[in-house]
Amino acid sequence: MTNASNADIRHFLKQFFGTDNKFDLGKIERGEGKQAKIRPWVELLTKGEPQPTILPCWRSSIFGI
């Protein structure tokens, strides 16, 4: 995400951790439960200059079944 603004990153995170992803951005940012383990990855995008990172996605089924 080269030259991405903070608003762009927030929009991306809200979309990425939206309804299709069982991980909850609010819980991640608040450090709640097991989802707190994802917080350092999110912070790579939101603290200072965004850094390359890979975010996890948890869906109920790969095939939508």
Side-chain angles (χ1 to χ4, degrees):
M1 297 182 77
T2 307
N3 297 323
S5 72
N6 196 25
D8 292 335
I9 292 169
R10 293 297 309 160
H11 178 75
F12 165 75
L13 289 171
K14 287 179 183 179
Q15 293 295 313
F16 185 84
F17 291 109
T19 56
D20 290 338
N21 195 335
K22 288 186 175 185
F23 290 116
D24 180 277
L25 181 59
K27 289 181 180 180
I28 293 167
E29 291 178 328
R30 289 187 300 272
E32 290 183 19
K34 292 182 180 182
Q35 293 193 36
K37 294 179 181 182
I38 300 168
R39 187 174 180 174
W41 295 333
V42 169
E43 288 178 346
L44 286 172
L45 296 173
T46 59
K47 304 290 181 191
E49 184 67 28
Q51 300 297 310
T53 189
I54 297 173
L55 297 173
C57 182
W58 176 23
R59 298 176 191 248
S60 58
S61 174
I62 293 174
F63 303 106
I65 299 172

PDB file of all heavy atoms in Angstrom, residues 14-53:
ATOM      1  N   LYS A  14     -11.644  -2.107   7.477  1.00  0.00           N
ATOM      2  CA  LYS A  14     -13.078  -2.319   7.717  1.00  0.00           C
ATOM      3  C   LYS A  14     -13.667  -3.262   6.677  1.00  0.00           C
ATOM      4  O   LYS A  14     -14.510  -4.097   6.999  1.00  0.00           O
ATOM      5  CB  LYS A  14     -13.809  -0.984   7.730  1.00  0.00           C
ATOM      6  CG  LYS A  14     -13.547  -0.171   8.974  1.00  0.00           C
ATOM      7  CD  LYS A  14     -14.274   1.155   8.920  1.00  0.00           C
ATOM      8  CE  LYS A  14     -13.942   1.983  10.152  1.00  0.00           C
ATOM      9  NZ  LYS A  14     -14.618   3.292  10.104  1.00  0.00           N
ATOM     10  N   GLN A  15     -13.235  -3.122   5.440  1.00  0.00           N
ATOM     11  CA  GLN A  15     -13.715  -4.013   4.384  1.00  0.00           C
ATOM     12  C   GLN A  15     -13.152  -5.422   4.565  1.00  0.00           C
ATOM     13  O   GLN A  15     -13.875  -6.406   4.452  1.00  0.00           O
ATOM     14  CB  GLN A  15     -13.318  -3.468   3.008  1.00  0.00           C
ATOM     15  CG  GLN A  15     -14.008  -2.191   2.638  1.00  0.00           C
ATOM     16  CD  GLN A  15     -15.496  -2.355   2.471  1.00  0.00           C
ATOM     17  OE1 GLN A  15     -15.954  -3.273   1.813  1.00  0.00           O
ATOM     18  NE2 GLN A  15     -16.263  -1.486   3.095  1.00  0.00           N
ATOM     19  N   PHE A  16     -11.858  -5.515   4.833  1.00  0.00           N
ATOM     20  CA  PHE A  16     -11.202  -6.819   4.972  1.00  0.00           C
ATOM     21  C   PHE A  16     -11.790  -7.613   6.136  1.00  0.00           C
ATOM     22  O   PHE A  16     -12.043  -8.815   6.016  1.00  0.00           O
ATOM     23  CB  PHE A  16      -9.692  -6.642   5.161  1.00  0.00           C
ATOM     24  CG  PHE A  16      -8.955  -7.945   5.186  1.00  0.00           C
ATOM     25  CD1 PHE A  16      -8.581  -8.568   4.017  1.00  0.00           C
ATOM     26  CD2 PHE A  16      -8.645  -8.565   6.393  1.00  0.00           C
ATOM     27  CE1 PHE A  16      -7.912  -9.792   4.039  1.00  0.00           C
ATOM     28  CE2 PHE A  16      -7.981  -9.782   6.429  1.00  0.00           C
ATOM     29  CZ  PHE A  16      -7.610 -10.396   5.235  1.00  0.00           C
ATOM     30  N   PHE A  17     -11.998  -6.960   7.275  1.00  0.00           N
ATOM     31  CA  PHE A  17     -12.557  -7.617   8.447  1.00  0.00           C
ATOM     32  C   PHE A  17     -14.073  -7.417   8.504  1.00  0.00           C
ATOM     33  O   PHE A  17     -14.662  -7.358   9.573  1.00  0.00           O
ATOM     34  CB  PHE A  17     -11.884  -7.117   9.727  1.00  0.00           C
ATOM     35  CG  PHE A  17     -10.451  -7.546   9.861  1.00  0.00           C
ATOM     36  CD1 PHE A  17      -9.420  -6.635   9.732  1.00  0.00           C
ATOM     37  CD2 PHE A  17     -10.136  -8.873  10.088  1.00  0.00           C
ATOM     38  CE1 PHE A  17      -8.091  -7.032   9.856  1.00  0.00           C
ATOM     39  CE2 PHE A  17      -8.819  -9.285  10.208  1.00  0.00           C
ATOM     40  CZ  PHE A  17      -7.796  -8.368  10.090  1.00  0.00           C
ATOM     41  N   GLY A  18     -14.703  -7.339   7.344  1.00  0.00           N
ATOM     42  CA  GLY A  18     -16.146  -7.154   7.247  1.00  0.00           C
ATOM     43  C   GLY A  18     -16.915  -8.445   7.466  1.00  0.00           C
ATOM     44  O   GLY A  18     -16.430  -9.399   8.085  1.00  0.00           O
ATOM     45  N   THR A  19     -18.100  -8.499   6.916  1.00  0.00           N
ATOM     46  CA  THR A  19     -19.034  -9.592   7.183  1.00  0.00           C
ATOM     47  C   THR A  19     -18.539 -10.957   6.742  1.00  0.00           C
ATOM     48  O   THR A  19     -18.940 -11.966   7.317  1.00  0.00           O
ATOM     49  CB  THR A  19     -20.395  -9.311   6.522  1.00  0.00           C
ATOM     50  OG1 THR A  19     -20.188  -9.103   5.121  1.00  0.00           O
ATOM     51  CG2 THR A  19     -21.051  -8.091   7.129  1.00  0.00           C
ATOM     52  N   ASP A  20     -17.689 -11.038   5.729  1.00  0.00           N
ATOM     53  CA  ASP A  20     -17.204 -12.337   5.253  1.00  0.00           C
ATOM     54  C   ASP A  20     -16.080 -12.915   6.108  1.00  0.00           C
ATOM     55  O   ASP A  20     -15.734 -14.074   5.973  1.00  0.00           O
ATOM     56  CB  ASP A  20     -16.715 -12.236   3.803  1.00  0.00           C
ATOM     57  CG  ASP A  20     -17.854 -12.018   2.829  1.00  0.00           C
ATOM     58  OD1 ASP A  20     -19.016 -12.343   3.169  1.00  0.00           O
ATOM     59  OD2 ASP A  20     -17.591 -11.522   1.715  1.00  0.00           O
ATOM     60  N   ASN A  21     -15.473 -12.105   6.947  1.00  0.00           N
ATOM     61  CA  ASN A  21     -14.342 -12.518   7.763  1.00  0.00           C
ATOM     62  C   ASN A  21     -14.817 -12.652   9.216  1.00  0.00           C
ATOM     63  O   ASN A  21     -15.369 -11.708   9.772  1.00  0.00           O
ATOM     64  CB  ASN A  21     -13.218 -11.479   7.662  1.00  0.00           C
ATOM     65  CG  ASN A  21     -11.897 -11.972   8.163  1.00  0.00           C
ATOM     66  OD1 ASN A  21     -11.819 -12.869   8.987  1.00  0.00           O
ATOM     67  ND2 ASN A  21     -10.833 -11.359   7.665  1.00  0.00           N
ATOM     68  N   LYS A  22     -14.621 -13.802   9.811  1.00  0.00           N
ATOM     69  CA  LYS A  22     -15.073 -14.018  11.182  1.00  0.00           C
ATOM     70  C   LYS A  22     -14.237 -13.256  12.210  1.00  0.00           C
ATOM     71  O   LYS A  22     -14.654 -13.087  13.347  1.00  0.00           O
ATOM     72  CB  LYS A  22     -15.075 -15.509  11.526  1.00  0.00           C
ATOM     73  CG  LYS A  22     -16.181 -16.271  10.838  1.00  0.00           C
ATOM     74  CD  LYS A  22     -16.216 -17.690  11.340  1.00  0.00           C
ATOM     75  CE  LYS A  22     -17.377 -18.456  10.768  1.00  0.00           C
ATOM     76  NZ  LYS A  22     -17.487 -19.796  11.353  1.00  0.00           N
ATOM     77  N   PHE A  23     -13.041 -12.826  11.840  1.00  0.00           N
ATOM     78  CA  PHE A  23     -12.261 -11.977  12.737  1.00  0.00           C
ATOM     79  C   PHE A  23     -12.929 -10.604  12.793  1.00  0.00           C
ATOM     80  O   PHE A  23     -13.391 -10.087  11.784  1.00  0.00           O
ATOM     81  CB  PHE A  23     -10.812 -11.848  12.270  1.00  0.00           C
ATOM     82  CG  PHE A  23     -10.013 -13.103  12.426  1.00  0.00           C
ATOM     83  CD1 PHE A  23      -9.502 -13.765  11.333  1.00  0.00           C
ATOM     84  CD2 PHE A  23      -9.756 -13.621  13.680  1.00  0.00           C
ATOM     85  CE1 PHE A  23      -8.754 -14.928  11.481  1.00  0.00           C
ATOM     86  CE2 PHE A  23      -9.009 -14.783  13.847  1.00  0.00           C
ATOM     87  CZ  PHE A  23      -8.509 -15.431  12.733  1.00  0.00           C
ATOM     88  N   ASP A  24     -12.988 -10.011  13.967  1.00  0.00           N
ATOM     89  CA  ASP A  24     -13.670  -8.748  14.190  1.00  0.00           C
ATOM     90  C   ASP A  24     -12.639  -7.653  14.451  1.00  0.00           C
ATOM     91  O   ASP A  24     -11.869  -7.735  15.414  1.00  0.00           O
ATOM     92  CB  ASP A  24     -14.611  -8.911  15.395  1.00  0.00           C
ATOM     93  CG  ASP A  24     -15.371  -7.652  15.695  1.00  0.00           C
ATOM     94  OD1 ASP A  24     -14.814  -6.769  16.387  1.00  0.00           O
ATOM     95  OD2 ASP A  24     -16.519  -7.555  15.238  1.00  0.00           O
ATOM     96  N   LEU A  25     -12.634  -6.631  13.608  1.00  0.00           N
ATOM     97  CA  LEU A  25     -11.648  -5.558  13.731  1.00  0.00           C
ATOM     98  C   LEU A  25     -11.725  -4.874  15.089  1.00  0.00           C
ATOM     99  O   LEU A  25     -10.699  -4.570  15.693  1.00  0.00           O
ATOM    100  CB  LEU A  25     -11.819  -4.537  12.610  1.00  0.00           C
ATOM    101  CG  LEU A  25     -10.831  -3.378  12.599  1.00  0.00           C
ATOM    102  CD1 LEU A  25      -9.390  -3.877  12.488  1.00  0.00           C
ATOM    103  CD2 LEU A  25     -11.168  -2.417  11.469  1.00  0.00           C
ATOM    104  N   GLY A  26     -12.927  -4.631  15.603  1.00  0.00           N
ATOM    105  CA  GLY A  26     -13.067  -3.997  16.914  1.00  0.00           C
ATOM    106  C   GLY A  26     -12.431  -4.816  18.016  1.00  0.00           C
ATOM    107  O   GLY A  26     -11.716  -4.286  18.873  1.00  0.00           O
ATOM    108  N   LYS A  27     -12.671  -6.126  18.000  1.00  0.00           N
ATOM    109  CA  LYS A  27     -12.073  -7.003  19.013  1.00  0.00           C
ATOM    110  C   LYS A  27     -10.563  -7.052  18.866  1.00  0.00           C
ATOM    111  O   LYS A  27      -9.835  -7.105  19.864  1.00  0.00           O
ATOM    112  CB  LYS A  27     -12.653  -8.405  18.903  1.00  0.00           C
ATOM    113  CG  LYS A  27     -14.083  -8.498  19.364  1.00  0.00           C
ATOM    114  CD  LYS A  27     -14.603  -9.915  19.252  1.00  0.00           C
ATOM    115  CE  LYS A  27     -16.051 -10.001  19.711  1.00  0.00           C
ATOM    116  NZ  LYS A  27     -16.565 -11.376  19.612  1.00  0.00           N
ATOM    117  N   ILE A  28     -10.086  -7.035  17.645  1.00  0.00           N
ATOM    118  CA  ILE A  28      -8.635  -7.045  17.403  1.00  0.00           C
ATOM    119  C   ILE A  28      -8.020  -5.781  17.989  1.00  0.00           C
ATOM    120  O   ILE A  28      -7.034  -5.840  18.725  1.00  0.00           O
ATOM    121  CB  ILE A  28      -8.337  -7.151  15.892  1.00  0.00           C
ATOM    122  CG1 ILE A  28      -8.779  -8.515  15.366  1.00  0.00           C
ATOM    123  CG2 ILE A  28      -6.852  -6.902  15.617  1.00  0.00           C
ATOM    124  CD1 ILE A  28      -8.822  -8.602  13.850  1.00  0.00           C
ATOM    125  N   GLU A  29      -8.604  -4.636  17.674  1.00  0.00           N
ATOM    126  CA  GLU A  29      -8.046  -3.365  18.139  1.00  0.00           C
ATOM    127  C   GLU A  29      -8.158  -3.192  19.650  1.00  0.00           C
ATOM    128  O   GLU A  29      -7.300  -2.556  20.259  1.00  0.00           O
ATOM    129  CB  GLU A  29      -8.730  -2.204  17.407  1.00  0.00           C
ATOM    130  CG  GLU A  29      -8.359  -2.167  15.946  1.00  0.00           C
ATOM    131  CD  GLU A  29      -9.044  -1.059  15.175  1.00  0.00           C
ATOM    132  OE1 GLU A  29     -10.189  -0.695  15.515  1.00  0.00           O
ATOM    133  OE2 GLU A  29      -8.423  -0.570  14.226  1.00  0.00           O
ATOM    134  N   ARG A  30      -9.192  -3.759  20.251  1.00  0.00           N
ATOM    135  CA  ARG A  30      -9.342  -3.679  21.709  1.00  0.00           C
ATOM    136  C   ARG A  30      -8.525  -4.740  22.432  1.00  0.00           C
ATOM    137  O   ARG A  30      -8.407  -4.723  23.655  1.00  0.00           O
ATOM    138  CB  ARG A  30     -10.823  -3.815  22.094  1.00  0.00           C
ATOM    139  CG  ARG A  30     -11.667  -2.621  21.720  1.00  0.00           C
ATOM    140  CD  ARG A  30     -13.080  -2.719  22.273  1.00  0.00           C
ATOM    141  NE  ARG A  30     -13.807  -3.882  21.804  1.00  0.00           N
ATOM    142  CZ  ARG A  30     -14.543  -3.941  20.690  1.00  0.00           C
ATOM    143  NH1 ARG A  30     -14.626  -2.879  19.913  1.00  0.00           N
ATOM    144  NH2 ARG A  30     -15.189  -5.044  20.357  1.00  0.00           N
ATOM    145  N   GLY A  31      -7.964  -5.681  21.688  1.00  0.00           N
ATOM    146  CA  GLY A  31      -7.149  -6.730  22.283  1.00  0.00           C
ATOM    147  C   GLY A  31      -7.976  -7.767  23.017  1.00  0.00           C
ATOM    148  O   GLY A  31      -7.525  -8.311  24.023  1.00  0.00           O
ATOM    149  N   GLU A  32      -9.178  -8.045  22.515  1.00  0.00           N
ATOM    150  CA  GLU A  32     -10.079  -8.987  23.177  1.00  0.00           C
ATOM    151  C   GLU A  32      -9.792 -10.432  22.775  1.00  0.00           C
ATOM    152  O   GLU A  32      -9.676 -10.744  21.587  1.00  0.00           O
ATOM    153  CB  GLU A  32     -11.534  -8.668  22.829  1.00  0.00           C
ATOM    154  CG  GLU A  32     -12.034  -7.393  23.443  1.00  0.00           C
ATOM    155  CD  GLU A  32     -13.498  -7.143  23.135  1.00  0.00           C
ATOM    156  OE1 GLU A  32     -14.224  -8.079  22.758  1.00  0.00           O
ATOM    157  OE2 GLU A  32     -13.913  -5.983  23.276  1.00  0.00           O
ATOM    158  N   GLY A  33      -9.713 -11.290  23.765  1.00  0.00           N
ATOM    159  CA  GLY A  33      -9.598 -12.730  23.547  1.00  0.00           C
ATOM    160  C   GLY A  33      -8.475 -13.135  22.617  1.00  0.00           C
ATOM    161  O   GLY A  33      -7.430 -12.475  22.542  1.00  0.00           O
ATOM    162  N   LYS A  34      -8.710 -14.204  21.908  1.00  0.00           N
ATOM    163  CA  LYS A  34      -7.691 -14.744  21.001  1.00  0.00           C
ATOM    164  C   LYS A  34      -7.432 -13.829  19.812  1.00  0.00           C
ATOM    165  O   LYS A  34      -6.372 -13.896  19.207  1.00  0.00           O
ATOM    166  CB  LYS A  34      -8.117 -16.123  20.514  1.00  0.00           C
ATOM    167  CG  LYS A  34      -8.111 -17.162  21.613  1.00  0.00           C
ATOM    168  CD  LYS A  34      -8.500 -18.521  21.094  1.00  0.00           C
ATOM    169  CE  LYS A  34      -8.473 -19.537  22.224  1.00  0.00           C
ATOM    170  NZ  LYS A  34      -8.808 -20.881  21.755  1.00  0.00           N
ATOM    171  N   GLN A  35      -8.400 -12.987  19.493  1.00  0.00           N
ATOM    172  CA  GLN A  35      -8.214 -12.084  18.356  1.00  0.00           C
ATOM    173  C   GLN A  35      -7.154 -11.025  18.629  1.00  0.00           C
ATOM    174  O   GLN A  35      -6.643 -10.395  17.712  1.00  0.00           O
ATOM    175  CB  GLN A  35      -9.553 -11.453  17.967  1.00  0.00           C
ATOM    176  CG  GLN A  35     -10.503 -12.507  17.425  1.00  0.00           C
ATOM    177  CD  GLN A  35     -11.712 -11.933  16.751  1.00  0.00           C
ATOM    178  OE1 GLN A  35     -11.643 -10.905  16.096  1.00  0.00           O
ATOM    179  NE2 GLN A  35     -12.836 -12.616  16.887  1.00  0.00           N
ATOM    180  N   ALA A  36      -6.779 -10.855  19.897  1.00  0.00           N
ATOM    181  CA  ALA A  36      -5.720  -9.910  20.249  1.00  0.00           C
ATOM    182  C   ALA A  36      -4.392 -10.282  19.592  1.00  0.00           C
ATOM    183  O   ALA A  36      -3.549  -9.418  19.349  1.00  0.00           O
ATOM    184  CB  ALA A  36      -5.547  -9.866  21.763  1.00  0.00           C
ATOM    185  N   LYS A  37      -4.230 -11.557  19.267  1.00  0.00           N
ATOM    186  CA  LYS A  37      -2.982 -12.001  18.631  1.00  0.00           C
ATOM    187  C   LYS A  37      -2.787 -11.402  17.247  1.00  0.00           C
ATOM    188  O   LYS A  37      -1.667 -11.344  16.746  1.00  0.00           O
ATOM    189  CB  LYS A  37      -2.959 -13.528  18.531  1.00  0.00           C
ATOM    190  CG  LYS A  37      -2.896 -14.204  19.886  1.00  0.00           C
ATOM    191  CD  LYS A  37      -2.903 -15.701  19.748  1.00  0.00           C
ATOM    192  CE  LYS A  37      -2.857 -16.370  21.117  1.00  0.00           C
ATOM    193  NZ  LYS A  37      -2.816 -17.809  21.034  1.00  0.00           N
ATOM    194  N   ILE A  38      -3.854 -10.926  16.626  1.00  0.00           N
ATOM    195  CA  ILE A  38      -3.783 -10.343  15.284  1.00  0.00           C
ATOM    196  C   ILE A  38      -3.405  -8.862  15.335  1.00  0.00           C
ATOM    197  O   ILE A  38      -2.939  -8.297  14.360  1.00  0.00           O
ATOM    198  CB  ILE A  38      -5.141 -10.541  14.563  1.00  0.00           C
ATOM    199  CG1 ILE A  38      -5.446 -12.032  14.462  1.00  0.00           C
ATOM    200  CG2 ILE A  38      -5.152  -9.909  13.183  1.00  0.00           C
ATOM    201  CD1 ILE A  38      -6.851 -12.352  14.048  1.00  0.00           C
ATOM    202  N   ARG A  39      -3.566  -8.265  16.500  1.00  0.00           N
ATOM    203  CA  ARG A  39      -3.333  -6.827  16.653  1.00  0.00           C
ATOM    204  C   ARG A  39      -1.957  -6.363  16.145  1.00  0.00           C
ATOM    205  O   ARG A  39      -1.879  -5.337  15.451  1.00  0.00           O
ATOM    206  CB  ARG A  39      -3.533  -6.433  18.103  1.00  0.00           C
ATOM    207  CG  ARG A  39      -3.484  -4.955  18.326  1.00  0.00           C
ATOM    208  CD  ARG A  39      -3.822  -4.627  19.749  1.00  0.00           C
ATOM    209  NE  ARG A  39      -3.781  -3.196  19.954  1.00  0.00           N
ATOM    210  CZ  ARG A  39      -4.142  -2.618  21.050  1.00  0.00           C
ATOM    211  NH1 ARG A  39      -4.604  -3.323  22.065  1.00  0.00           N
ATOM    212  NH2 ARG A  39      -4.071  -1.314  21.167  1.00  0.00           N
ATOM    213  N   PRO A  40      -0.868  -7.066  16.433  1.00  0.00           N
ATOM    214  CA  PRO A  40       0.431  -6.596  15.916  1.00  0.00           C
ATOM    215  C   PRO A  40       0.476  -6.502  14.390  1.00  0.00           C
ATOM    216  O   PRO A  40       1.134  -5.619  13.842  1.00  0.00           O
ATOM    217  CB  PRO A  40       1.419  -7.650  16.428  1.00  0.00           C
ATOM    218  CG  PRO A  40       0.768  -8.224  17.639  1.00  0.00           C
ATOM    219  CD  PRO A  40      -0.707  -8.216  17.332  1.00  0.00           C
ATOM    220  N   TRP A  41      -0.238  -7.380  13.715  1.00  0.00           N
ATOM    221  CA  TRP A  41      -0.265  -7.323  12.242  1.00  0.00           C
ATOM    222  C   TRP A  41      -1.033  -6.101  11.765  1.00  0.00           C
ATOM    223  O   TRP A  41      -0.613  -5.426  10.830  1.00  0.00           O
ATOM    224  CB  TRP A  41      -0.878  -8.584  11.657  1.00  0.00           C
ATOM    225  CG  TRP A  41      -0.094  -9.830  11.907  1.00  0.00           C
ATOM    226  CD1 TRP A  41       1.256  -9.923  12.106  1.00  0.00           C
ATOM    227  CD2 TRP A  41      -0.592 -11.157  11.986  1.00  0.00           C
ATOM    228  NE1 TRP A  41       1.607 -11.230  12.306  1.00  0.00           N
ATOM    229  CE2 TRP A  41       0.491 -12.009  12.228  1.00  0.00           C
ATOM    230  CE3 TRP A  41      -1.860 -11.703  11.876  1.00  0.00           C
ATOM    231  CZ2 TRP A  41       0.338 -13.381  12.359  1.00  0.00           C
ATOM    232  CZ3 TRP A  41      -2.006 -13.073  12.002  1.00  0.00           C
ATOM    233  CH2 TRP A  41      -0.912 -13.896  12.239  1.00  0.00           C
ATOM    234  N   VAL A  42      -2.153  -5.815  12.421  1.00  0.00           N
ATOM    235  CA  VAL A  42      -2.938  -4.637  12.066  1.00  0.00           C
ATOM    236  C   VAL A  42      -2.127  -3.379  12.346  1.00  0.00           C
ATOM    237  O   VAL A  42      -2.131  -2.427  11.559  1.00  0.00           O
ATOM    238  CB  VAL A  42      -4.294  -4.627  12.823  1.00  0.00           C
ATOM    239  CG1 VAL A  42      -5.003  -3.292  12.664  1.00  0.00           C
ATOM    240  CG2 VAL A  42      -5.175  -5.768  12.340  1.00  0.00           C
ATOM    241  N   GLU A  43      -1.393  -3.383  13.448  1.00  0.00           N
ATOM    242  CA  GLU A  43      -0.577  -2.215  13.801  1.00  0.00           C
ATOM    243  C   GLU A  43       0.540  -1.964  12.795  1.00  0.00           C
ATOM    244  O   GLU A  43       0.989  -0.829  12.655  1.00  0.00           O
ATOM    245  CB  GLU A  43      -0.027  -2.362  15.209  1.00  0.00           C
ATOM    246  CG  GLU A  43      -1.112  -2.190  16.257  1.00  0.00           C
ATOM    247  CD  GLU A  43      -0.625  -2.372  17.682  1.00  0.00           C
ATOM    248  OE1 GLU A  43       0.495  -2.881  17.891  1.00  0.00           O
ATOM    249  OE2 GLU A  43      -1.396  -2.010  18.597  1.00  0.00           O
ATOM    250  N   LEU A  44       0.980  -2.982  12.087  1.00  0.00           N
ATOM    251  CA  LEU A  44       1.970  -2.771  11.033  1.00  0.00           C
ATOM    252  C   LEU A  44       1.418  -1.851   9.941  1.00  0.00           C
ATOM    253  O   LEU A  44       2.171  -1.171   9.249  1.00  0.00           O
ATOM    254  CB  LEU A  44       2.408  -4.102  10.409  1.00  0.00           C
ATOM    255  CG  LEU A  44       3.325  -4.968  11.255  1.00  0.00           C
ATOM    256  CD1 LEU A  44       3.520  -6.333  10.597  1.00  0.00           C
ATOM    257  CD2 LEU A  44       4.671  -4.290  11.470  1.00  0.00           C
ATOM    258  N   LEU A  45       0.114  -1.833   9.797  1.00  0.00           N
ATOM    259  CA  LEU A  45      -0.521  -0.968   8.802  1.00  0.00           C
ATOM    260  C   LEU A  45      -0.947   0.382   9.367  1.00  0.00           C
ATOM    261  O   LEU A  45      -1.046   1.354   8.630  1.00  0.00           O
ATOM    262  CB  LEU A  45      -1.761  -1.666   8.215  1.00  0.00           C
ATOM    263  CG  LEU A  45      -1.505  -2.942   7.441  1.00  0.00           C
ATOM    264  CD1 LEU A  45      -2.827  -3.608   7.073  1.00  0.00           C
ATOM    265  CD2 LEU A  45      -0.689  -2.656   6.200  1.00  0.00           C
ATOM    266  N   THR A  46      -1.219   0.434  10.673  1.00  0.00           N
ATOM    267  CA  THR A  46      -1.822   1.635  11.243  1.00  0.00           C
ATOM    268  C   THR A  46      -0.889   2.500  12.082  1.00  0.00           C
ATOM    269  O   THR A  46      -1.232   3.638  12.389  1.00  0.00           O
ATOM    270  CB  THR A  46      -3.033   1.247  12.126  1.00  0.00           C
ATOM    271  OG1 THR A  46      -2.601   0.377  13.179  1.00  0.00           O
ATOM    272  CG2 THR A  46      -4.116   0.558  11.303  1.00  0.00           C
ATOM    273  N   LYS A  47       0.237   1.991  12.476  1.00  0.00           N
ATOM    274  CA  LYS A  47       1.173   2.762  13.308  1.00  0.00           C
ATOM    275  C   LYS A  47       2.340   3.242  12.458  1.00  0.00           C
ATOM    276  O   LYS A  47       3.115   2.448  11.934  1.00  0.00           O
ATOM    277  CB  LYS A  47       1.712   1.915  14.474  1.00  0.00           C
ATOM    278  CG  LYS A  47       0.643   1.328  15.358  1.00  0.00           C
ATOM    279  CD  LYS A  47      -0.037   2.392  16.172  1.00  0.00           C
ATOM    280  CE  LYS A  47      -1.080   1.735  17.053  1.00  0.00           C
ATOM    281  NZ  LYS A  47      -1.962   2.663  17.685  1.00  0.00           N
ATOM    282  N   GLY A  48       2.464   4.559  12.314  1.00  0.00           N
ATOM    283  CA  GLY A  48       3.557   5.114  11.529  1.00  0.00           C
ATOM    284  C   GLY A  48       3.398   4.792  10.053  1.00  0.00           C
ATOM    285  O   GLY A  48       2.293   4.710   9.525  1.00  0.00           O
ATOM    286  N   GLU A  49       4.503   4.610   9.396  1.00  0.00           N
ATOM    287  CA  GLU A  49       4.509   4.267   7.968  1.00  0.00           C
ATOM    288  C   GLU A  49       4.029   2.825   7.794  1.00  0.00           C
ATOM    289  O   GLU A  49       4.575   1.919   8.410  1.00  0.00           O
ATOM    290  CB  GLU A  49       5.926   4.410   7.399  1.00  0.00           C
ATOM    291  CG  GLU A  49       6.039   4.171   5.922  1.00  0.00           C
ATOM    292  CD  GLU A  49       5.329   5.229   5.084  1.00  0.00           C
ATOM    293  OE1 GLU A  49       5.210   6.380   5.549  1.00  0.00           O
ATOM    294  OE2 GLU A  49       4.904   4.898   3.970  1.00  0.00           O
ATOM    295  N   PRO A  50       2.984   2.597   6.967  1.00  0.00           N
ATOM    296  CA  PRO A  50       2.482   1.227   6.773  1.00  0.00           C
ATOM    297  C   PRO A  50       3.582   0.284   6.282  1.00  0.00           C
ATOM    298  O   PRO A  50       4.380   0.643   5.425  1.00  0.00           O
ATOM    299  CB  PRO A  50       1.389   1.380   5.711  1.00  0.00           C
ATOM    300  CG  PRO A  50       1.002   2.821   5.760  1.00  0.00           C
ATOM    301  CD  PRO A  50       2.237   3.561   6.181  1.00  0.00           C
ATOM    302  N   GLN A  51       3.620  -0.896   6.866  1.00  0.00           N
ATOM    303  CA  GLN A  51       4.609  -1.902   6.524  1.00  0.00           C
ATOM    304  C   GLN A  51       3.926  -3.081   5.830  1.00  0.00           C
ATOM    305  O   GLN A  51       2.770  -3.385   6.117  1.00  0.00           O
ATOM    306  CB  GLN A  51       5.309  -2.401   7.795  1.00  0.00           C
ATOM    307  CG  GLN A  51       6.034  -1.321   8.558  1.00  0.00           C
ATOM    308  CD  GLN A  51       7.163  -0.711   7.768  1.00  0.00           C
ATOM    309  OE1 GLN A  51       7.984  -1.423   7.225  1.00  0.00           O
ATOM    310  NE2 GLN A  51       7.190   0.605   7.696  1.00  0.00           N
ATOM    311  N   PRO A  52       4.639  -3.754   4.947  1.00  0.00           N
ATOM    312  CA  PRO A  52       4.059  -4.938   4.308  1.00  0.00           C
ATOM    313  C   PRO A  52       3.670  -5.969   5.366  1.00  0.00           C
ATOM    314  O   PRO A  52       4.405  -6.198   6.323  1.00  0.00           O
ATOM    315  CB  PRO A  52       5.192  -5.479   3.434  1.00  0.00           C
ATOM    316  CG  PRO A  52       6.102  -4.324   3.226  1.00  0.00           C
ATOM    317  CD  PRO A  52       5.994  -3.487   4.471  1.00  0.00           C
ATOM    318  N   THR A  53       2.520  -6.566   5.202  1.00  0.00           N
ATOM    319  CA  THR A  53       2.055  -7.573   6.150  1.00  0.00           C
ATOM    320  C   THR A  53       1.034  -8.483   5.480  1.00  0.00           C
ATOM    321  O   THR A  53       0.496  -8.150   4.437  1.00  0.00           O
ATOM    322  CB  THR A  53       1.451  -6.915   7.410  1.00  0.00           C
ATOM    323  OG1 THR A  53       1.213  -7.908   8.381  1.00  0.00           O
ATOM    324  CG2 THR A  53       0.170  -6.182   7.112  1.00  0.00           C
TER     325      THR A  53
END
